[in-house]
């Protein structure tokens, strides 16, 4: 018997109060253990403390080359550009993101289900995992616009109905990430607190939020307190490296005014024990290509 929306208790309320609130996290960060995957006990401890973990050379330079070729093919394909899963930059009209890219591209489907990726997600989440969302972010040179500060979980909870903080994102760099071309920035440790944001979710919010997020972005006062408390880590690194980060990290990335693109593939794994319910802070759920309700485990069978 599914819990009725009216009777369920929301321990992470957001977009319901007139004032922002900072709540304590009520979920573990690491659900697995050192003997259930490639991460050592120290690496898991670091992930638990900071909310993220950088992995150098996760994939080979040859694989990076195949990703580049696939990115070029997709961005030049008019049917992909016209697809509702493709987000176009507001000013330059260049491709900003392509969602559900693991269903559009065999190349990206392969890496999304690769044991090097899925094995790490299973270890962090302590269960079988499925793909909640995948996207490629192009962030082209000169034109790639910013992603303002936000917690992914706040959106996935409010708009997709994700109950608990038991999801992990992996961002695999397809280009070199320099300090100056809009790399991922994370407030290390911010995942331990949850910012309940102000402002109701507009109807069909995703049609604008994926271009530039509005609802669910914290207020400047709270963000300033967070930056003062946690600092801002800038995740630079060579193409082929990756960052795994908790669903509730406060993160952002700046616009790219340099000639050097900052492209990544971004895959979100959710625990099969944390499947989506009705949205907690929106009138209706977002489309499947943004938030999957297919809990089929990723990566084939495992010995979990
Ligand atoms: O709304 C979402 O699901 C997406 N938006 C951002 C800015 N990050 C997470 C996710 O890809
Ligand atoms: Fe995000």
């Amino acid at each position: 018997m599914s819990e009725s929306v009216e009777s369920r208790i929301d321990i992470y309320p957001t977009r319901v109060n007139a004032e922002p609130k900072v709540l304590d996290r009520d979920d573990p960060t690491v659900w697995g253990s050192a003997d259930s995957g490639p991460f050592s006990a120290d690496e898991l401890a670091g992930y638990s403390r900071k909310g993220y973990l950088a992995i150098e050379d996760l994939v080979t330079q040859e694989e990076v080359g195949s990703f580049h070729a696939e990115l070029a093919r997709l961005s030049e394909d008019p049917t992909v550009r016209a697809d509702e899963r493709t987000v176009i930059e507001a000013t330059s009209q260049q491709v900003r993101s392509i969602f559900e890219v693991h269903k559009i591209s065999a190349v990206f489907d392969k890496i999304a289900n690769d044991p090097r990726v899925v094995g790490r997600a299973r270890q962090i989440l302590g269960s079988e995992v499925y793909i909640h969302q995948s996207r490629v972010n192009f962030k082209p040179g000169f034109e790639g616009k910013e992603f303002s500060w936000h917690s992914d979980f706040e959106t996935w909870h409010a708009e997709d109905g994700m109950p608990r903080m038991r999801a992990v994102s992996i961002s695999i760099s397809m280009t070199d990430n320099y300090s100056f071309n809009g790399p991922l920035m994370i407030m290390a440790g911010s995942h331990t607190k949850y910012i309940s944001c102000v402002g109701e979710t507009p109807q069909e919010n995703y049609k604008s939020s994926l271009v530039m997020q509005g609802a669910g972005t914290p207020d400047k006062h709270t963000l300033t307190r967070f930056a003062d408390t946690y600092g801002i880590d800038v995740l630079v690194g060579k193409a082929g490296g990756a960052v795994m980060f908790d669903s509730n990290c406060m993160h952002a990335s700046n616009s790219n005014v340099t000639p050097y693109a900052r492209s990544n593939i971004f895959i979100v794994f959710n625990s099969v024990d944390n499947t989506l319910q009705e949205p907690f802070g929106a009138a209706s759920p977002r489309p499947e290509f943004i938030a999957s309700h297919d809990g089929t485990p990723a990566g084939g069978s495992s010995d979990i």
Side-chain angles (χ1 to χ4, degrees), residues 133 135 137 147-153 155-156 169 184 213 245 247 249-252 266 268:
Q133 181 186 103
R135 68 193 280 185
N137 288 333
F147 288 84
S148 34
W149 288 104
H150 63 283
S151 152
D152 293 337
F153 176 76
T155 291
W156 298 338
S169 299
L184 180 62
Q213 189 174 350
F245 59 103
S247 62
C249 283
M250 194 49 63
H251 66 289
F266 177 95
V268 183

Side-chain angles (χ1 to χ4, degrees), residues 186-264:
I186 294 178
M187 295 186 187
S190 60
H191 66 296
T192 61
K193 297 290 180 187
Y194 176 72
I195 301 178
S196 176
C197 295
V198 173
E200 277 196 10
T201 307
Q203 290 287 346
E204 298 197 315
N205 184 43
Y206 70 94
K207 290 187 173 173
S208 58
S209 69
L210 299 181
V211 180
M212 196 53 67
Q213 189 174 350
T217 53
D219 62 288
K220 292 182 171 66
H221 172 71
T222 307
L223 278 174
T224 304
R225 274 179 45 206
F226 265 51
D228 291 346
T229 306
Y230 300 109
I232 297 175
D233 289 10
V234 180
L235 284 296
V236 297
K238 274 188 336 75
V243 179
M244 293 189 83
F245 59 103
D246 180 80
S247 62
N248 187 47
C249 283
M250 194 49 63
H251 66 289
S253 62
N254 287 318
S255 289
N256 183 9
V257 294
T258 75
Y260 313 113
R262 192 236 57 183
S263 305
N264 64 355

Side-chain angles (χ1 to χ4, degrees), residues 67-87:
F67 296 161
H68 281 183
E70 187 68 350
L71 275 186
R73 183 185 74 80
L74 291 173
S75 60
E76 286 148 21
D77 181 341
T79 51
V80 169
R81 194 181 165 84
D83 192 309
E84 66 168 340
R85 295 170 290 185
T86 299
V87 180

Side-chain angles (χ1 to χ4, degrees), residues 1-14:
M1 168 75 166
S2 70
E3 205 179 6
S4 78
V5 172
E6 292 68 36
S7 66
R8 68 181 175 178
I9 294 168
D10 184 0
I11 63 170
Y12 295 121
T14 187

